[in-house]
Amino acid sequence: AQSVSQHNHHVILSEAASLELGCNYSYGGTVNLFWYVQYPGQHLQLLLKYFSGDPLVKGIKGFEAEFIKSKFSFNLRKPSVQWSDTAEYFCAVGGYTSGTYKYIFGTGTRLKVLA
Amino acid sequence: DGGITQSPKYLFRKEGQNVTLSCEQNLNHDAMYWYRQDPGQGLRLIYYSQIVNDFQKGDIAEGYSVSREKKESFPLTVTSAQKNPTAFYLCASSISGGILYNEQFFGPGTRLTVL
């Protein structure tokens, strides 16, 4: 069955630390990959996406993610986090299952950045 | 302003009652989605609609019903058959429901509490 795994449920970092959030998926065929972010009190919004081409994608606010097909991974990175990055981060994968396009979200990672 | 509106923001319901959550979008998107968000479980798909007058069950459709009579509207009814309805409900839309243009845009959510 298709699935998306985010292994880090809670992450606490100090400002200026580097961030890497893991995302692994199980999905046959061509996939689209996404990271969404939910800041406290705000709507869930797109951080970045991968459809095709360069496997290293850059998103808003200095985030980037690398698609490694052989590892079925799409990890999110940021070289230096800020207090304002405190949020919940969701990985999502879209692909076809039995002829129907389906979108699956991971369980989310809560990031807290200490000032 | 283009976007997705959900109303009400907070909703209280007595056990055994049906309740309808509203979702409206003015983005001219074809596809719309309903998710349920529970702590530690991420977003789980309840129903989705790729086009007017058509909708499909998601992973946790039992106890819910939807309609899609207009492109801009996708109301969700939580019926008394839903065993654990207290949750945060998110509505989303995307340009299409297929592999292209499927970045999802989210509404602010409705928090439903069953008393």
Side-chain angles (χ1 to χ4, degrees):
Chain A
Q2 293 78 14
S3 65
V4 177
S5 297
Q6 290 182 247
H7 304 294
N8 314 105
H9 298 295
H10 292 90
V11 174
I12 301 175
L13 294 172
S14 298
E15 273 196 317
S18 64
L19 170 72
E20 181 159 3
L21 301 182
C23 174
N24 288 90
Y25 66 92
S26 170
Y27 224 122
T30 302
V31 293
N32 303 145
L33 298 159
F34 308 84
W35 275 97
Y36 286 84
V37 61
Q38 191 170 32
Y39 296 104
Q42 294 189 29
H43 298 199
L44 202 64
Q45 60 185 284
L46 183 72
L47 201 53
L48 48 78
K49 61 188 176 186
Y50 172 79
F51 278 19
S52 63
D54 188 345
L56 183 63
V57 293
K58 295 192 184 299
I60 59 171
K61 303 187 180 185
F63 286 90
E64 65 179 31
E66 185 174 13
F67 171 48
I68 303 180
K69 192 174 181 180
S70 60
K71 295 185 178 180
F72 299 92
S73 71
F74 191 55
N75 293 354
L76 180 71
R77 300 194 294 248
K78 186 170 183 179
S80 176
V81 294
Q82 300 172 312
W83 177 81
S84 58
D85 293 323
T86 294
E88 190 161 17
Y89 294 81
F90 294 91
C91 180
V93 176
Y96 280 101
T97 304
S98 303
T100 302
Y101 186 83
K102 291 197 75 173
Y103 217 96
I104 300 176
F105 281 84
T107 53
T109 297
R110 284 188 185 272
L111 171 66
K112 183 167 185 172
V113 179
L114 304 174
Chain B
D1 267 345
I4 301 175
T5 56
Q6 291 185 244
S7 60
K9 190 172 181 179
Y10 299 96
L11 188 56
F12 297 88
R13 186 196 95 177
K14 288 184 181 177
E15 214 170 308
Q17 290 180 336
N18 292 354
V19 62
T20 298
L21 280 58
S22 166
C23 177
E24 304 277 329
Q25 54 101 356
N26 61 4
L27 301 168
N28 200 32
H29 286 175
D30 281 329
M32 295 186 75
Y33 312 81
W34 274 106
Y35 292 94
R36 173 182 169 136
Q37 186 177 11
D38 296 285
Q41 297 195 56
L43 278 67
R44 293 182 290 166
L45 182 64
I46 304 172
Y47 267 97
Y48 64 103
S49 168
Q50 295 191 327
I51 200 162
V52 176
N53 292 321
D54 183 60
F55 50 83
Q56 307 293 332
K57 291 182 179 180
D59 300 318
I60 55 166
E62 187 175 344
Y64 300 98
S65 66
V66 294
S67 63
R68 186 87 188 278
E69 297 173 3
K70 298 186 292 183
K71 187 174 186 177
E72 60 270 21
S73 179
F74 191 41
L76 172 76
T77 297
V78 184
T79 76
S80 56
Q82 168 48 233
K83 293 189 172 70
N84 186 20
T86 294
F88 188 57
Y89 291 88
L90 283 169
C91 180
S93 71
S94 61
I95 292 176
S96 81
I99 201 151
L100 296 175
Y101 310 113
N102 56 24
E103 166 194 343
Q104 295 195 7
F105 294 79
F106 286 85
T110 292
R111 187 165 297 280
L112 172 65
T113 302
V114 175
L115 304 171

